[in-house]
Amino acid sequence: MKLIIENWRKWICEQSQYGTMAGDKYVIDLERMNIVASDHGEDQRHRHMRRGKGKISKDSIMKAIEVSIGKIMNDFANGEIKNGEPFHIKAKQGNQKPLNIIAKLDVKPGPDDLVIITVMRKENFQTDDKGFEGRPQKTYSILI
């Protein structure tokens, strides 16, 4: 009986922490997570169209995020990436040049955000970002 009460108390405490960030504990709501494109990200998405190549589709961006989100959340939970730390999703799609997405997590009380900083189709894509806290930027190479 004591074990049941202890488990119930623990569950109640965890539920009451929803929407708060006490210490290093985060509660992430993937079902309500917003995918937010920065102004720069949207400009970059349409830039290819001005060069006669067509814009980068939102469907391609969403597929890349959907395939990589499990790895991203696992690394976030393990402290390999931090809240607000930019990361790189490199998505290979058919015969096209890889789709490169630079994004960051914004985990906070209420719905969380995955913020798209920039997107580009390019081989050997590199950013000016030297990493976060002296670490190299995390890259997630995936197939979509």
Side-chain angles (χ1 to χ4, degrees):
M1 183 67 145
K2 185 177 180 182
L3 181 62
I4 293 171
I5 292 171
E6 183 60 29
N7 285 341
W8 179 252
R9 187 185 68 72
K10 184 178 176 185
W11 183 82
I12 292 289
C13 288
E14 286 178 6
Q15 296 304 311
S16 67
Q17 295 242 349
Y18 183 84
T20 65
M21 296 194 315
D24 289 328
K25 183 174 182 171
Y26 294 94
V27 178
I28 300 172
D29 187 353
L30 286 176
E31 290 183 11
R32 295 189 324 157
M33 181 176 276
N34 299 310
I35 308 297
V36 180
S38 68
D39 290 341
H40 178 72
E42 271 299 290
D43 183 55
Q44 289 295 95
R45 190 172 78 83
H46 289 90
R47 183 176 83 171
H48 290 265
M49 195 162 75
R50 290 192 296 266
R51 294 185 176 172
K53 297 179 183 178
K55 66 182 176 184
I56 298 171
S57 76
K58 287 184 179 180
D59 285 343
S60 293
I61 294 168
M62 290 305 298
K63 283 180 191 174
I65 292 170
E66 287 173 7
V67 170
S68 61
I69 195 71
K71 294 175 183 179
I72 294 165
M73 289 294 113
N74 188 49
D75 285 352
F76 179 74
N78 291 323
E80 292 182 38
I81 59 172
K82 306 278 186 211
N83 197 24
E85 178 178 356
F87 53 85
H88 177 198
I89 300 170
K90 182 178 182 179
K92 185 67 179 147
Q93 186 178 25
N95 294 328
Q96 300 180 59
K97 291 181 180 178
L99 171 59
N100 298 280
I101 302 169
I102 303 296
K104 66 180 180 176
L105 292 174
D106 183 11
V107 179
K108 60 193 179 305
D112 303 313
D113 296 333
L114 187 145
V115 180
I116 299 170
I117 299 168
T118 192
V119 296
M120 184 178 290
R121 283 201 182 275
K122 184 177 181 181
E123 294 286 347
N124 303 318
F125 178 79
Q126 295 180 348
T127 67
D128 293 336
D129 191 0
K130 302 291 187 253
F132 198 74
E133 299 175 350
R135 295 185 307 227
Q137 192 173 63
K138 187 78 173 181
T139 298
Y140 300 92
S141 297
I142 57 164
L143 296 172
I144 55 173

